[in-house]
Amino acid sequence: SAVISQKPSRDICQRGTSLTIQCQVDSQVTMMFWYRQQPGQSLTLIATANQGSEATYESGFVIDKFPISRPNLTFSTLTVSNMSPEDSSIYLCSVTQSMGRAQFFGPGTRLTVL
Amino acid sequence: EDQVTQSPEALRLQEGESSSLNCSYTVSGLRGLFWYRQDPGKGPEFLFTLYSAGEEKEKERLKATLTKKESFLHITAPKPEDSATYLCAVQAGETSGSRLTFGEGTQLTVNP
């Protein structure tokens, strides 16, 4: 399986600021995703990061709040914009080679917003 | 809407005491059911994929089974290092794309 890294691993941010999270994979992958895991809860898909085009967002998530880039087959970024304490979560990227196959997850970025 | 329900929410076992975790699902057109293990402060670690009713997968002390309505994760003679949260997720039909819908997880504690 691919080796996935995320930066930063954790951060503490002030309300109203933005944070960009990076996801790097050690091999080319077809599909990349961004999930959120709020404290004590399970994972919720934010969006699918599409290479060279706009991300596909799930219901309840919008591009203005969570802009995503995917310039190539091994790298993606998620920005959490105009943060509020409700954005405090773990943000995870995942990858898979094709639909129906397992997704592999990065180590996560733990974000705390004060 | 795809739904996944895991039970129990939490389970405490003594080392060597076998048990099972349940994952019930409601989806339109199951494409795959996935089991993950998540340790505190880490991303989910992939365990198994099951695609059709009757399928079984095994890895060390873990065995996953699938029916048309639910999946079980059987843990045989667990050890303290098996303590973690176990997550079940489904991927459904064409309209759902590659979205994984996760259950809330079962937090397993194995005492020595």
Side-chain angles (χ1 to χ4, degrees), chain A:
Chain A
S1 61
V3 176
I4 307 164
S5 60
Q6 288 185 232
K7 290 182 182 180
S9 58
R10 59 177 62 226
D11 207 341
I12 301 173
C13 301
Q14 295 297 319
R15 180 195 299 261
T17 63
S18 297
L19 176 72
T20 295
I21 302 168
Q22 299 179 4
C23 178
Q24 179 74 55
V25 191
D26 69 341
S27 59
Q28 293 186 349
V29 291
T30 305
M31 309 181 81
M32 297 181 76
F33 309 90
W34 287 98
Y35 287 81
R36 180 175 73 182
Q37 187 172 28
Q38 294 179 299
Q41 297 188 26
S42 195
L43 285 76
T44 301
L45 180 64
I46 297 172
T48 302
N50 300 309
Q51 194 232 337
S53 65
E54 192 171 290
T56 304
Y57 289 85
E58 296 298 306
S59 176
F61 297 97
V62 295
I63 188 172
D64 290 345
K65 176 66 176 177
F66 297 102
I68 289 170
S69 77
R70 188 178 173 194
N72 56 51
L73 293 175
T74 63
F75 185 78
S76 178
T77 67
L78 167 75
T79 299
V80 186
S81 302
N82 188 25
M83 289 184 286
S84 67
E86 292 70 38
D87 294 319
S88 297
S89 291
I90 299 172
Y91 292 87
L92 296 139
C93 70
S94 74
V95 304
T96 187
Q97 289 294 11
S98 67
M99 203 176 295
R101 296 184 65 179
Q103 292 182 20
F104 296 93
F105 286 82
T109 295
R110 182 180 294 272
L111 171 62
T112 302
V113 184
L114 303 178

Side-chain angles (χ1 to χ4, degrees), chain B residues 38-107:
Chain B
Q38 187 173 28
D39 293 298
K42 297 188 176 181
E45 174 190 345
F46 170 71
L47 294 174
F48 302 109
T49 306
L50 300 167
Y51 291 108
S52 57
E55 190 174 0
E56 299 182 351
K57 294 276 180 72
E58 283 190 69
K59 179 181 179 180
E60 297 181 356
R61 295 177 293 281
L62 301 177
K63 179 180 177 180
T65 62
L66 180 65
T67 72
K68 289 186 177 180
K69 294 183 178 180
E70 59 191 349
S71 176
F72 291 94
L73 185 66
H74 307 278
I75 303 176
T76 302
K79 298 181 178 182
E81 53 262 42
D82 294 322
S83 297
T85 296
Y86 290 84
L87 299 169
C88 169
V90 297
Q91 190 176 81
E94 293 292 337
T95 57
S96 300
S98 292
R99 178 196 313 124
L100 289 183
T101 301
F102 281 84
E104 295 299 313
T106 294
Q107 186 173 354

